[in-house]
Amino acid sequence: MVARYAPREPIPPARVAAFRSFGSQMFHVEQIPRTEGVMSDQEDEDPTRAVEREDRTPGRRVGPGTPDLSIGALIEVRETGARAPRPLPRVIAVANQKGGVGKTTTTVNLGAALADLGYRVLIIDLDPQGNATTGLGIEARNFDYSMYDVLLHDIALEDCVEPTNIKNLFLAPATIDLAGAEIELVPAFSRELRLKRMLAPIREDFGFVLIDCPPSLGLITVNALSAASEVLVPIQCEYYALEGVGQLLRNVELVRGNLNPELEVSAIVLTMYDSRTRLADHVVAEVRKHFGDAVCKNVIPRTVRISESPSFGEPITVHSPTSRGAIAYRELAKEVSRGPA
Ligand code: ADP
Ligand code: MG
């Protein structure tokens, strides 16, 4: 049977990078300077958000203090300090158990930007809220199968994949049914490896597979981490930016030790950066200090256009192709796919 996303063009293999371990640095931020909320000339900023932040108490911890975890082996950087291409296909879980940090936004927009670069991209929506699905303009009434059917009822992933309005970009959609999967998977046979098994037959059809994880570290996220070779962690440039990241990294380590030895945290993406606040710069500096070259050079700005694009069912690259947000995601796609632009 010919898949609905056929035909495919061959994707050239990329070089394998040489990596060294990151060292066991910890994140620890005590004082956050109060923002002065200086307005800049940016055309599509949302002033209300900055005001909200200014009202918060300064001097709080951004991170979880000194988590009891060695992240040395989890975050790998190249010896040269620059990123290098990795072999395709790359299966990247976009994970952070905090909600609202930009996982879905990054999955959809990075996916669209990678597709624009010519890669065949599959986005797997693993969040029962289905925001990646609706954000790409795909409605539940228009598809037969969702990721719930794939994970629980052995429906072939190929039969679940839908084309999108963007060339080269495909989606395995999610609906609210997936909320039940977290519990229904508990007694299932090889419950952690379902996604990996279902992805295997079509993995090679794509250059990139991006998995949008739910805001939890339950079985669905474990399935994503087991199926992936890389984890991309979006971190919001906000108070408590690193809260929970230690726990996520511990889970990555557990999955790596028990289920998926090749898993590594390959990219940390700073999202919703607001240049009007000193807080944002401070968070960026702290995250870079502690995670080094694993942090992507391109930081995603907070813009109104990015936040409104899902309601049009379009990635930012389609909704507002010349906006700062679209440029940022396009640059991020270049950085993630083949090193610095
Ligand atoms: P998550 O998937 O981690 O829960 P989302 O990607 O859904 O987070 O983002 C949370 C909210 O923030 C959404 O309403 C989204 O539109 C908005 N948002 C995300 N990134 C940006 C950005 N760069 N600029 C403005 N709004 C953003
Ligand atoms: Mg989401």
Side-chain angles (χ1 to χ4, degrees):
M1 173 184 162
V2 177
R4 273 175 293 177
Y5 54 84
R8 67 183 267 247
E9 296 114 38
I11 294 157
R15 281 186 298 124
V16 187
F19 293 101
R20 68 172 169 81
S21 83
F22 176 67
S24 55
Q25 295 180 40
M26 291 296 125
F27 30 83
H28 184 75
V29 180
E30 288 295 347
Q31 290 294 319
I32 301 302
R34 192 184 175 90
T35 172
E36 287 167 356
V38 179
M39 292 298 290
S40 69
D41 57 351
Q42 278 138 10
E43 87 287 9
D44 50 3
E45 292 287 1
D46 179 356
T48 54
R49 300 275 198 154
V51 170
E52 271 168 37
R53 269 198 301 287
E54 284 159 26
D55 288 339
R56 296 197 199 167
T57 317
R60 288 185 184 165
R61 258 166 204 239
V62 163
T66 48
D68 176 25
L69 167 75
S70 165
I71 56 171
L74 290 172
I75 298 186
E76 319 234 10
V77 293
R78 277 195 358 164
E79 267 163 11
T80 58
R83 283 161 207 285
R86 290 157 194 253
L88 302 178
R90 291 173 59 184
V91 182
I92 305 178
V94 180
N96 184 335
Q97 78 275 28
K98 251 173 117 171
V101 298
K103 288 183 291 297
T104 303
T105 306
T106 298
T107 307
V108 166
N109 294 317
L110 176 62
L114 285 167
D116 283 347
L117 286 178
Y119 295 97
R120 284 169 61 81
V121 179
L122 172 63
I123 289 178
I124 298 181
D125 190 349
L126 274 196
D127 187 343
Q129 297 194 22
N131 291 342
T133 302
T134 49
L136 282 167
I138 295 190
E139 293 184 38
R141 63 167 184 269
N142 294 334
F143 53 82
D144 298 329
Y145 299 118
S146 70
M147 283 310 297
Y148 172 80
D149 303 300
V150 172
L151 291 177
L152 271 303
H153 297 140
D154 277 344
I155 295 294
L157 182 52
E158 178 178 307
D159 294 336
C160 163
V161 171
E162 299 283 329
T164 68
N165 289 332
I166 292 135
K167 188 174 174 234
N168 290 329
L169 183 64
F170 303 88
L171 173 81
T175 62
I176 193 68
D177 294 342
L178 198 54
E182 201 70 73
I183 291 164
E184 289 174 54
L185 274 172
V186 171
F189 175 71
S190 89
R191 59 191 185 180
E192 295 93 354
L193 298 173
R194 295 239 150 181
L195 180 62
K196 187 183 179 87
R197 190 161 55 83
M198 301 310 277
L199 176 60
I202 64 167
R203 201 172 180 266
E204 303 285 329
D205 292 349
F206 297 95
F208 284 86
V209 178
L210 304 183
I211 308 172
D212 187 22
C213 292
S216 76
L217 292 172
L219 266 176
I220 293 180
T221 298
V222 170
N223 264 274
L225 296 178
S226 303
S229 47
E230 300 170 43
V231 187
L232 181 154
V233 184
I235 292 184
Q236 191 181 356
C237 299
E238 257 291 7
Y239 283 112
Y240 304 118
L242 292 171
E243 190 179 62
V245 173
Q247 208 191 342
L248 171 65
L249 296 180
R250 269 190 293 278
N251 277 44
V252 171
E253 192 169 41
L254 279 173
V255 171
R256 193 155 88 136
N258 295 294
L259 298 161
N260 184 8
E262 64 176 40
L263 188 65
E264 68 175 74
V265 178
S266 62
I268 291 180
V269 176
L270 290 155
T271 64
M272 294 183 241
Y273 171 78
D274 190 335
S275 62
R276 294 167 302 179
T277 68
R278 285 210 324 225
L279 168 68
D281 286 328
H282 196 81
V283 173
V284 170
E286 283 301 323
V287 172
R288 283 197 198 290
K289 192 164 100 198
H290 294 294
F291 293 106
D293 283 351
V295 183
C296 291
K297 219 175 59 185
N298 286 285
V299 173
I300 307 302
R302 179 191 285 282
T303 75
V304 169
R305 305 241 170 94
I306 289 179
S307 64
E308 74 189 8
S309 66
S311 62
F312 293 85
E314 293 171 341
I316 187 67
T317 46
V318 172
H319 178 63
S320 188
T322 57
S323 67
R324 288 183 306 126
I327 292 165
Y329 273 111
R330 277 200 296 268
E331 291 301 315
L332 182 69
K334 286 187 210 160
E335 185 177 356
V336 167
S337 65
R338 57 167 190 255

